[in-house]
Amino acid sequence: MRKILGMILLLVALCIAIYLVNPRFITPVNLQNLTRQIALLSIFAIGEGIVILSGGIDLSVGSIIAFTGLLVAYLVTTLGVPPALATTFVLALCVIIGFAHGMLVTKLKLQPFIVTLCTMLIFRGLARRLTEDDTRGFGNQFESFRMLGEGALWGIPVPVIILITVAVIAHFFMRYTVYGRYLYAIGRNPNAARYAGVKVDRMQTASYLACALLSGVAGILYATYTNSVQPATTGQAYELYAIAAAVLGGCSMRGGEGTILGIIVGASIMRVMYNGIILVGISTFWEFAVIGTVILIGVVADATVKQRASRLKAKG
């Protein structure tokens, strides 16, 4: 909890610093856009964080976002499928994708890095082939459907409401159910969890399933928010954003540590930093350098804390 409090203080200090440099930071338009961006990132970062908690990793998040966003736009505008039916179909497909990831990792014992790297390339290729690399959107039609991404209720962006729903469910599952504790146990030591009677393969498969499903939700929200899905660039490197948000929020890359609240705080810091880069006038070319630095600092800090804890434990 102290780690999360520290990150919250860092987030507050970051907001104050940006405001002092550029007061436009607190304009209603900027804050609404910023919270929308935070919500979109947090939704798929929670999925990535659950996989990391269980000791795995999913590199296909960005490509799934692009593929699902493009597919739902293609189904609705080209094939004339009703938006509700298209959304149901896309989310069902994400469940199958996550299940396939889990089966390949747990049954064939393939490295998660390799499996999801391959599907990252596969779904990016499928997205480009589906529309011949043509950008798709909804135009001026389907206004009620586009409310999912660009709408607001009582002044609160719809993606923020969806994030709150996802976060409450995920927090309850991880914090108050035995299956959530199983995921932490698997992340710390999968062999010990297996000997304790935990269905390790089933739980790890469920984590990949949750990640793919939340990536699909984010893909649909991005499609309805931007109203323009570009097969080659939409969702590009979003897996890095998700990993950075999870690590920054306290998730250990070794598994077994992290919270849903921490992941949301990490995602908030990521988006506030990007917003600050734009408002302060720093080149956006620094964005990836900042993400890489954040991940590196998180991994180094995690390793340092682990080594120190081991030394203290050895001394008794």
Side-chain angles (χ1 to χ4, degrees):
M1 194 62 192
R2 281 188 300 177
K3 188 185 290 185
I4 295 177
L5 287 175
M7 299 312 297
I8 292 175
L9 289 175
L10 173 62
L11 177 62
V12 172
L14 199 56
C15 291
I16 293 172
I18 296 171
Y19 166 71
L20 292 175
V21 176
N22 190 338
R24 284 190 301 157
F25 177 73
I26 61 167
T27 58
V29 173
N30 186 61
L31 290 179
Q32 191 176 66
N33 184 53
L34 179 60
T35 53
R36 196 186 304 272
Q37 292 287 346
I38 289 172
L40 290 169
L41 171 55
S42 296
I43 288 170
F44 63 86
I46 287 174
E48 184 72 68
I50 291 173
V51 172
I52 291 174
L53 274 169
S54 69
I57 195 163
D58 191 336
L59 299 180
S60 66
V61 168
S63 294
I64 291 177
I65 288 173
F67 178 67
T68 53
L70 203 66
L71 182 59
V72 76
Y74 179 81
L75 290 173
V76 171
T77 60
T78 304
L79 301 185
V81 178
L85 183 59
T87 299
T88 303
F89 174 78
V90 168
L91 293 182
L93 182 61
C94 289
V95 170
I96 296 172
I97 293 169
F99 183 75
H101 281 163
M103 295 301 287
L104 289 170
V105 170
T106 59
K107 299 303 179 186
L108 296 183
K109 307 300 179 188
L110 300 178
Q111 288 293 321
F113 176 86
I114 300 299
V115 171
T116 56
L117 178 65
C118 292
T119 53
M120 176 184 79
L121 298 172
I122 290 170
F123 289 116
R124 182 64 65 181
L126 287 175
R128 301 186 70 169
R129 179 65 185 85
L130 183 65
T131 60
E132 300 290 343
D133 222 12
D134 191 22
T135 301
R136 289 300 173 97
F138 303 97
N140 295 323
Q141 297 178 307
F142 310 103
E143 187 175 348
S144 57
F145 184 51
R146 286 190 281 116
M147 283 286 288
L148 277 177
E150 64 182 22
L153 292 175
W154 309 291
I156 304 172
V158 174
V160 174
I161 297 172
I162 295 174
L163 167 65
I164 293 171
T165 306
V166 169
V168 168
I169 294 172
H171 175 74
F172 179 83
F173 179 84
M174 299 300 294
R175 184 74 175 79
Y176 297 106
T177 70
V178 66
Y179 300 107
R181 290 194 288 275
Y182 285 169
L183 279 177
Y184 282 102
I186 292 168
R188 293 189 186 102
N189 191 329
N191 291 327
R194 186 173 284 108
Y195 289 136
V198 176
K199 304 292 185 185
V200 174
D201 292 356
R202 192 175 300 175
M203 293 304 301
Q204 287 182 323
T205 299
S207 70
Y208 284 101
L209 193 153
C211 184
L213 183 61
L214 291 177
S215 299
V217 171
I220 294 169
L221 291 176
Y222 271 112
T224 52
Y225 172 50
T226 62
N227 200 13
S228 175
V229 185
Q230 217 292 327
T233 58
T234 297
Q236 193 174 43
Y238 277 18
E239 55 279 351
L240 299 183
Y241 288 90
I243 293 170
V247 170
L248 199 56
C251 288
S252 169
M253 291 300 289
R254 299 164 187 263
E257 292 181 21
T259 63
I260 301 301
L261 176 60
I263 294 169
I264 295 174
V265 174
S268 301
I269 292 174
M270 293 290 299
R271 281 309 183 195
V272 168
M273 279 197 299
Y274 182 70
N275 190 242
I277 286 173
I278 295 173
L279 290 177
V280 174
I282 300 173
S283 171
T284 54
F285 293 145
W286 284 101
E287 183 184 4
F288 287 112
V290 171
I291 294 172
T293 304
V294 165
I295 296 176
L296 185 61
I297 290 174
V299 172
V300 170
D302 179 55
T304 304
V305 170
K306 286 278 183 4
Q307 288 177 358
R308 186 177 178 184
S310 298
R311 283 197 296 269
L312 291 173
K313 189 176 180 181
K315 290 179 180 178

